[in-house]
Amino acid sequence: FAMKVGDPANSDKIVAGRLGLLTQLLETGFPFAKTGEPDLLIDHDQRSGALTLPVTPGGQYRFGGITANDDGLFGSRHLERIARFE
């Protein structure tokens, strides 16, 4: 999340970290991964906080080659080139 102990809570970094984590999961074989809403608990007396982000990976899968019935504009080779997974 690009935040270290002692850094101020920054909502932009939390949102970017959540999207980065989800993207990493999707690109590494977890096509059904989901992240819940971040929960930030602040203790003003201690000047500290804790960030919780629920993650449901949804299972890891391996994909084989892509096949398409139409070899035109969106044929198998084109779909393999634009796929977001290897």
Side-chain angles (χ1 to χ4, degrees):
F1 285 86
M3 294 170 52
K4 297 178 185 128
V5 173
D7 286 351
N10 181 310
S11 62
D12 291 337
K13 287 184 179 182
I14 293 171
V15 170
R18 177 183 177 197
L19 291 174
L21 174 61
L22 182 58
T23 299
Q24 186 68 24
L25 285 166
L26 294 173
E27 290 179 348
T28 56
F30 294 89
F32 304 109
K34 295 179 184 176
T35 59
E37 292 295 320
D39 183 33
L40 187 59
L41 177 64
I42 302 292
D43 183 338
H44 293 283
D45 292 335
Q46 296 292 321
R47 298 183 52 86
S48 66
L51 174 65
T52 303
L53 178 67
V55 176
T56 305
Q60 189 173 25
Y61 295 88
R62 290 193 88 140
F63 291 92
I66 296 175
T67 58
N69 293 334
D70 178 16
D71 246 4
L73 177 62
F74 290 104
S76 301
R77 290 184 62 210
H78 179 72
L79 292 173
E80 284 179 352
R81 277 191 230 123
I82 64 172
R84 64 179 177 194
F85 53 84
E86 293 182 15

